[in-house]
Amino acid sequence: MFRFILLAFSLSLLACNSSDKTEEAYRLASPNGNNVFQFQLENGVPAYSVRHKDIEVLSPSKMGFVFRDNDSLHKNFKITDVEETTFDETWEQVWGEKKEIRNHYNQLSVKLQEKSEKERKLEIQFRAFDDGVAFRYIFPEQDLNDSIFIMDELTTFNLKEDGKAWWIPAYREQRYEYLFENSPVSSLDTVHTPLTIESKNGLTLSFHEANLTDFASMTLAASEQTLKADLVPWSDGVKVRTTGSFTTPWRTLQIGETPKDLITSYLILNLNEPNKIEDTSWIKPYKYLGIWWGMHIGKYTFWEGENQGATTKNAKGHIDYAKQLEVDHLLIEGWNKGWTPQWYESAMHQFSFTKEADNFDLEEVTDYAAENDVRIIGYHETGSNINNYLEQIDSAFALYNKVGIHDVKIGHVGSKLNMEEWHHGQFGVNYFRYVLKKAAEYNLTVLFHEPIKDTGERRTYPNMMAREGARGIEYNAWSEGNPPSHVTILPFTRFLGGPMDFTAGILDVEISQGYDGRRVHSTAAKQLALLVTVFSPIQMLADLPENYIDKPEFQFLKDVPTNWEDTKVINGEIGKYITTARKDLNSDDWYLGSITNEESREFQISLDFLEEGDYEAQIYADTKGTGLNNNPEAIEISNKRVSAKDKLKLKLGESGGAAIRFKKL
Ligand code: NOJ
């Protein structure tokens, strides 16, 4: 289904002209009229503001750039052209949380030119959607032979009201892997996006960017209620280097009347370019087991030695488990040369991406996997030594092609790439895009760990499956872990950017074979529910496979799909709870996941999201009395015949959950 309308229509122009002051203003409303941009040029200085219905969300905010030598591009402009258009199409995702996505917006394109000697041109495009607004700058080719060095982007987001911000800090060693904190906007320092704010005006706002291509990532620096774009610099302080022209990513603001509205907003995807990969038949969502959790809990080592995880023997044993459990993919970390206990300490560590570790025979393992209908996921840990990785990338990907590997996880442990550049700077942005495109040439899907943030590139390159980029389950294995509220915050913040490989599904939440005092801070039923509340086209069933054998609740992990026809958020409060329902792409079944923070809760869930007819609800819930510190692994499984007219009572223990399959009868 494809619908497209493009037309130019008359603009609402508000102009005022007096001898010492000129002002031109243009208004752009979203298709339903609720979100409104106003652009104004006052005495040659551009500014914009945003309203939602009768609420002023952003007061006049700044626009422009500073180039090298304090050369600024932000004033003394005249308007040379203004055009308003509208666009409406429905496009299909190759995979996703919803099959069909409507992209409906009105656009205002304003062309500016400096009145001063240089007469430089700058275009600003504004788009107003029903779920938010966005704008970007285009600095067109204009016979300026110089290289361009952007030293600062002057964009501000001038919040009319303060609010509660959900944030993680920027410019830190652990990149994007921090626990979200909650504090007033006016108290923030410099933070990553998506930045979600529960505003005093009652709206929930999320600031982010879309289509981050050949540019530095935007972080946000707060000063009172004003957020300012803070581009992540190169090591020499330049923010963006380019020649001739540049187009910035879209600066986005999603606007929800409730927090859950943000989750079913597809504005970020809509602002990315359509799919560029012609034949997508090789790109398939999947679930997987791994030789992975065992390393994190200390059962195996990543490196060669007595307890080495990645041996031919152990890999074959895991292939047998995958076959028995009917999970079609298996990740094997540590199969290659270079893993040593010190690898993460040493500067520019050299991994080989083609030589096998002792005791590991790649071809023997991949042949055995093929015989058993299991697909191996390759793993490349770069240690952030990008030079070393890029020297080997072609031969490494060619090797995977040769042995029938179609999916690769690529890690970037280290606080700087090549010990020099922030992951989120322009260098990192271009590096991650290069690897993604290179992987597509080899028909490989990609799972990035220690990545840059997601800005919706999966629409353009659907081999971009998921990124870890946040504190996943692994933190529970070797640190104080993630508190119960963590997974009730991520859907309203980090996941707004895109899918995450969260590595859930731990049934042995007290980690019987792990380090003293370490555990997963949830009940086992909550671990099942995460497979629905976290969207990712690839989901790891992260526990040791032996912990799944003969467990009736494994049935839910086996059944739950990773590719969906539709998604509905039933309820949710940031940091407290969330209930999500999703419809399977390949059947008439629905699935529901409900999770809570450290508080137990009861919900009456209306099943009106179901279609006509009866369903068998297969319910996996905390047993009576189960909670974080009481019998957390106990799951009660029950069945019930239900229809859309029914309501279902859910009882979640402390840090508990419920997972339901609604099987169409
Ligand atoms: C951190 C990654 O998040 C994890 O998945 C991986 O196992 C380790 N690095 C080792 O590469």
Side-chain angles (χ1 to χ4, degrees):
M1 185 168 47
F2 184 80
R3 215 146 49 87
F4 173 78
I5 315 167
L6 182 67
L7 53 105
F9 50 87
S10 65
L11 297 163
S12 35
L13 163 66
L14 323 155
C16 123
N17 210 332
S18 71
S19 53
D20 55 352
K21 183 175 167 159
T22 61
E23 182 179 329
E24 285 179 80
Y26 295 87
R27 201 178 156 275
L28 176 79
S30 63
N32 68 5
N34 289 349
N35 295 322
V36 177
F37 258 126
Q38 178 157 311
F39 171 77
Q40 67 202 58
L41 192 69
E42 197 178 321
N43 291 329
V45 177
Y48 75 99
S49 51
V50 175
R51 301 185 73 83
H52 176 81
K53 295 184 177 163
D54 55 358
I55 302 172
E56 185 178 354
V57 179
L58 299 181
S59 328
S61 302
K62 292 184 184 155
M63 314 193 91
F65 296 93
V66 179
F67 299 135
R68 204 157 64 174
D69 301 326
N70 243 340
D71 169 19
S72 69
L73 182 72
H74 78 289
K75 60 180 193 304
N76 210 9
F77 283 116
K78 63 179 180 197
I79 294 178
T80 58
D81 192 25
V82 175
E83 189 187 15
E84 186 170 340
T85 51
T86 187
F87 186 86
D88 189 0
E89 71 165 5
T90 298
W91 57 279
E92 281 196 358
Q93 296 211 76
V94 173
W95 48 260
E97 64 279 62
K98 184 176 168 70
K99 181 76 184 166
E100 289 189 343
I101 294 194
R102 187 170 180 195
N103 183 11
H104 190 194
Y105 61 81
N106 291 329
Q107 173 169 306
L108 177 70
S109 160
V110 183
K111 290 191 172 143
L112 303 170
Q113 184 161 23
E114 284 177 311
K115 289 185 275 180
S116 52
E117 199 193 316
K118 288 186 185 151
E119 296 191 321
R120 287 176 299 194
K121 296 176 189 147
L122 181 68
E123 179 179 348
I124 310 176
Q125 289 178 345
F126 297 90
R127 286 189 186 170
F129 299 80
D130 292 343
D131 51 347
V133 295
F135 63 89
R136 67 175 174 184
Y137 303 92
I138 300 174
F139 185 82
E141 284 290 347
Q142 45 195 300
D143 296 331
L144 299 168
N145 295 325
D146 304 351
S147 296
I148 301 168
F149 297 89
I150 299 178
M151 304 307 288
D152 197 13
E153 178 177 326
L154 299 174
T155 305
T156 60
F157 306 91
N158 197 358
L159 289 159
K160 176 76 173 127
E161 305 267 7
D162 204 342
K164 268 176 29 174
W166 295 89
W167 58 276
I168 53 170
Y171 303 113
R172 296 290 164 89
E173 297 240 313
Q174 290 296 101
R175 308 155 300 270
Y176 212 54
E177 295 167 21
Y178 287 90
L179 290 174
F180 276 81
E181 294 195 43
N182 186 215
S183 48
V185 177
S186 47
S187 70
L188 301 186
D189 186 10
T190 305
V191 298
H192 273 298
T193 70
L195 171 67
T196 298
I197 297 169
E198 291 176 280
S199 174
K200 281 192 173 158
N201 63 25
L203 299 172
T204 311
L205 311 172
S206 184
F207 293 91
H208 192 37
E209 55 186 321
N211 192 2
L212 173 53
T213 302
D214 195 15
F215 214 74
S217 307
M218 178 182 74
T219 64
L220 294 170
S223 160
E224 302 193 342
Q225 278 156 229
T226 297
L227 298 165
K228 182 185 168 302
D230 182 87
L231 302 179
V232 176
W234 288 78
S235 47
D236 63 1
V238 173
K239 304 275 173 87
V240 175
R241 29 175 43 98
T242 177
T243 43
S245 66
F246 64 86
T247 299
T248 67
W250 291 94
R251 277 69 188 89
T252 63
L253 168 55
Q254 286 159 281
I255 302 175
E257 294 191 350
T258 67
K260 69 189 175 72
D261 294 345
L262 297 176
I263 298 172
T264 45
S265 154
Y266 301 102
L267 179 146
I268 302 290
L269 282 176
N270 279 330
L271 288 164
N272 276 268
E273 288 170 33
N275 174 20
K276 289 192 173 161
I277 299 179
E278 245 171 67
D279 172 14
T280 56
S281 57
W282 52 275
I283 303 175
K284 295 203 173 72
Y286 58 85
K287 283 181 293 198
Y288 66 106
L289 297 175
I291 301 188
W292 179 81
W293 184 238
M295 272 88 112
H296 286 273
I297 65 175
K299 179 176 183 195
Y300 303 126
T301 60
F302 283 101
W303 40 88
E304 294 161 69
E306 237 180 281
N307 296 322
Q308 186 179 342
T311 62
T312 304
K313 186 162 172 265
N314 202 22
K316 285 184 167 178
H318 276 71
I319 292 166
D320 294 341
Y321 276 130
K323 191 175 180 192
Q324 184 181 354
L325 293 164
E326 296 177 47
V327 179
D328 52 10
H329 281 64
L330 173 72
L331 171 79
I332 303 178
E333 281 199 18
W335 69 269
N336 54 323
K337 276 277 175 202
W339 292 89
T340 64
Q342 294 76 28
W343 71 269
Y344 50 86
E345 290 163 14
S346 82
M348 302 299 272
H349 187 82
Q350 303 273 335
F351 283 93
S352 163
F353 301 101
T354 50
K355 293 199 184 93
E356 296 128 315
D358 295 346
N359 300 327
F360 189 86
D361 185 324
L362 184 62
E363 258 184 77
E364 192 178 331
V365 169
T366 47
D367 283 352
Y368 187 71
E371 281 162 32
N372 288 285
D373 278 335
V374 174
R375 291 170 72 149
I376 300 297
I377 304 168
Y379 185 51
H380 291 161
E381 175 54 66
T382 65
S384 280
N385 184 342
I386 301 312
N387 293 345
N388 178 48
Y389 188 47
L390 293 183
E391 269 166 31
Q392 299 182 55
I393 195 165
D394 276 292
S395 48
F397 284 175
L399 172 65
Y400 279 165
N401 275 181
K402 181 170 159 245
V403 297
I405 288 179
H406 301 272
D407 312 282
V408 56
K409 168 179 168 183
I410 307 171
H412 304 87
V413 172
S415 52
K416 300 266 179 78
L417 300 177
N418 282 341
M419 307 300 286
E420 212 167 64
E421 302 293 345
W422 292 112
H423 285 53
H424 280 92
Q426 187 186 13
F427 174 83
V429 169
N430 288 348
Y431 157 75
F432 282 102
R433 181 62 61 87
Y434 175 83
V435 175
L436 181 61
K437 287 166 80 170
K438 173 69 72 183
E441 284 170 28
Y442 286 87
N443 286 12
L444 282 166
T445 73
V446 169
L447 159 58
F448 282 133
H449 271 222
E450 297 80 28
I452 51 166
K453 65 185 176 183
D454 200 332
T455 60
E457 299 90 323
R458 63 179 161 133
R459 180 175 178 196
T460 317
Y461 301 101
N463 63 322
M464 177 68 262
M465 307 306 273
R467 346 185 158 206
E468 175 210 40
R471 282 172 61 127
I473 289 282
E474 63 182 10
Y475 274 79
N476 299 289
W478 34 256
S479 77
E480 77 291 353
N482 299 327
S485 59
H486 185 56
V487 283
T488 63
I489 299 171
L490 293 176
F492 302 95
T493 53
R494 153 70 183 84
F495 299 162
L496 298 179
M500 172 175 178
D501 177 32
F502 191 71
T503 58
I506 305 290
L507 298 182
D508 177 21
V509 289
E510 293 182 300
I511 320 183
S512 44
Q513 301 184 58
Y515 299 113
D516 280 353
R518 302 301 181 210
R519 64 161 294 183
V520 180
H521 300 275
S522 95
T523 67
K526 183 175 179 179
Q527 290 291 307
L528 302 186
L530 286 174
L531 272 284
V532 184
T533 58
V534 176
F535 166 67
S536 176
I538 59 175
Q539 297 254 25
M540 182 182 222
L541 309 181
D543 211 338
L544 300 173
E546 53 267 42
N547 291 338
Y548 292 135
I549 303 293
D550 295 332
K551 289 270 174 63
E553 59 269 36
F554 183 73
Q555 188 62 43
F556 182 83
L557 294 177
K558 196 155 113 183
D559 293 339
V560 65
T562 58
N563 197 7
W564 306 97
E565 173 81 36
D566 202 4
T567 287
K568 294 191 174 166
V569 183
I570 311 291
N571 63 26
E573 276 190 71
I574 311 179
K576 294 185 176 164
Y577 60 90
I578 182 165
T579 305
T580 307
R582 301 189 198 267
K583 185 177 181 202
D584 181 14
L585 183 69
N586 298 310
S587 76
D588 292 327
D589 297 351
W590 280 81
Y591 288 77
L592 179 144
S594 185
I595 56 170
T596 176
N597 62 1
E598 58 286 344
E599 276 179 43
S600 60
R601 282 171 215 278
E602 270 189 35
F603 296 124
Q604 278 277 103
I605 304 285
S606 163
L607 302 184
D608 57 4
F609 56 86
L610 296 174
E611 277 112 353
E612 218 173 277
D614 284 357
Y615 293 78
E616 178 186 86
Q618 303 169 351
I619 307 167
Y620 302 75
D622 299 318
T623 58
K624 197 158 185 259
T626 284
L628 181 61
N629 297 315
N630 186 32
N631 207 14
E633 276 143 33
I635 296 182
E636 185 179 311
I637 305 176
S638 59
N639 285 347
K640 214 172 178 175
R641 196 180 178 103
V642 296
S643 76
K645 288 187 231 97
D646 293 320
K647 287 197 163 49
L648 207 59
K649 193 170 185 176
L650 299 182
K651 286 189 177 183
L652 317 182
E654 296 86 9
S655 195
I660 307 175
R661 175 186 185 186
F662 295 94
K663 191 169 169 6
K664 190 81 196 271
L665 295 173

